[in-house]
Amino acid sequence: MEDDDPKVVPIKLRKCARCEKPVVHEFRPFCSRRCANLDLGNWFDETYRVPVEDADGLDDALNDEDLDAT
Ligand SMILES: [Zn+2]
């Protein structure tokens, strides 16, 4: 039985996290220094933002209450 897991992708097939061009090893997970810098800029702008997962949890709790009320 062969264990051919499609989730395992060779690093050279990775795409740039910003523009989806092929990743360059030196700048991974980006294709170029420009993309890396752009992403770093975003990251610093959004430092200390509340994680999205927390907002989802709140939504779920509110939805549950709505269902109970109806
Ligand atoms: Zn890129």
Side-chain angles (χ1 to χ4, degrees), residues 16-68:
C16 174
R18 285 200 65 82
C19 69
E20 299 198 340
K21 285 179 188 170
V23 161
V24 172
H25 180 83
E26 183 181 356
F27 301 115
R28 69 194 164 134
F30 305 103
C31 69
S32 64
R33 184 190 300 277
R34 197 170 60 130
C35 277
N37 282 344
L38 281 172
D39 199 75
L40 270 182
N42 272 358
W43 182 241
F44 284 134
D45 281 348
E46 300 183 16
T47 314
Y48 301 127
R49 284 237 181 128
V50 178
V52 175
E53 291 135 38
D54 278 6
D56 281 349
L58 277 178
D59 273 354
D60 282 348
L62 289 175
N63 284 341
D64 281 349
E65 279 184 41
D66 278 352
L67 285 175
D68 282 346

